[in-house]
């Protein structure tokens, strides 16, 4: 069983991704947007959005046919920066994270990317290909977000269960490889002290 966090900016498709792939009816804390949030929740580029996650989304996905059978617990975060404190709680015990990116509002991706870099949690970036949005090559997104080569960047449609499952498998593979590298580094013989 692995815990995975799905993060991203406001309106990037996190709730949609959890709902697309979850084999159970997802737990959702979606609430309607109100006039009270109009000054803090910009709808530029996502004018049709009517709801927002206020705590988290939860879904589950079993992958019995994976090379190692997996059961994934998916936790979708709220997208607004004011909920960053909650991201710490949702990330506790996670094997890694997916940062969903909406290229129409790329600036909203910097906070989640920086967050996972700061807490040293392996993550992948998944560019959600919205209808009508300009399609950028993953390497263009990598450059724009100033991501190191070690962070996988993939494209997906958050509405498509196969796409989301593929992103999750990319993350699991990345997290396993990252853990193996970290383990080898910890057990490597020290070369700082030489025998006299």
């Amino acid at each position: 069983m692995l815990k995975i966090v799905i993060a991203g900016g406001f309106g990037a498709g996190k709730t949609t991704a959890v709902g697309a792939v979850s084999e159970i009816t997802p737990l959702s804390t979606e609430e309607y947007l109100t006039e009270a949030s109009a000054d803090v929740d910009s709808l530029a580029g996502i004018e049709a959005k009517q709801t927002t996650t206020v705590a988290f989304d939860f879904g589950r996905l079993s992958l019995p046919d994976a090379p190692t059978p997996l059961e994934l617990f998916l936790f979708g975060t709220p997208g607004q920066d004011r909920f960053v404190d909650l991201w710490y709680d949702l990330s506790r015990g996670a094997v890694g994270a997916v940062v969903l990116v909406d290229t129409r509002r790329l600036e909203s991706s910097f906070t989640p990317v920086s967050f996972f870099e700061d807490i040293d949690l392996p993550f992948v970036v998944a560019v959600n290909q919205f209808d009508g949005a300009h399609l950028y090559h993953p390497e263009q997104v990598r450059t724009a977000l100033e991501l190191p080569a070690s962070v996988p960047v993939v494209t997906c449609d958050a509405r498509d269960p196969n796409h989301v499952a593929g992103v999750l498998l990319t993350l699991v593979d990345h997290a396993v490889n990252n853990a193996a590298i970290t383990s080898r580094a910890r057990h490597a013989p020290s070369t700082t002290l030489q025998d006299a």
Side-chain angles (χ1 to χ4, degrees):
M1 294 184 293
L2 300 175
K3 178 181 181 182
I4 291 176
V5 176
I6 299 179
F10 179 51
K14 301 171 297 292
T15 299
T16 300
V18 171
V21 78
S22 180
E23 64 197 14
I24 62 170
T25 301
L27 169 67
S28 178
T29 60
E30 289 263 295
E31 293 293 337
Y32 284 100
L33 292 167
T34 65
E35 289 297 319
S37 70
D39 292 337
V40 292
D41 294 334
S42 170
L43 294 176
I46 54 171
E47 289 81 7
K49 186 168 178 60
Q50 297 180 355
T51 60
T52 187
T53 300
V54 296
F56 64 90
D57 299 309
F58 173 77
R60 185 185 73 213
L61 176 63
S62 298
L63 298 169
D65 298 328
T68 300
L70 298 171
E71 187 171 16
L72 307 178
F73 294 127
L74 311 174
F75 289 83
T77 69
Q80 299 92 324
D81 291 357
R82 67 180 180 273
F83 290 112
V84 167
D85 287 343
L86 180 59
W87 297 1
Y88 286 100
D89 294 331
L90 292 174
S91 298
R92 192 171 295 122
V95 68
V98 172
V99 176
L100 273 177
V101 169
D102 178 354
T103 57
R104 301 169 303 175
R105 297 165 51 96
L106 191 62
E107 69 282 354
S108 68
S109 303
F110 285 98
T111 298
V113 165
S114 295
F115 176 81
F116 294 116
E117 288 175 338
D118 289 347
I119 68 169
D120 201 25
L121 186 67
F123 68 96
V124 300
V125 168
V127 181
N128 192 2
Q129 297 182 315
F130 286 90
D131 294 336
H134 182 79
L135 301 180
Y136 293 92
H137 189 278
E139 289 307 310
Q140 291 175 293
V141 175
R142 177 187 307 285
T143 300
L145 293 175
E146 300 177 353
L147 296 169
S150 59
V151 175
V153 180
V154 297
T155 59
C156 74
D157 181 337
R159 301 168 296 187
D160 186 317
N162 291 324
H163 282 213
V164 178
V167 170
L168 296 172
L169 287 173
T170 298
L171 171 63
V172 169
D173 185 55
H174 176 60
V176 167
N177 289 337
N178 194 58
I181 291 168
T182 302
S183 177
R184 281 196 300 272
R186 274 194 217 133
H187 294 94
S190 174
T191 57
T192 57
L193 296 177
Q194 299 293 325
D195 289 337

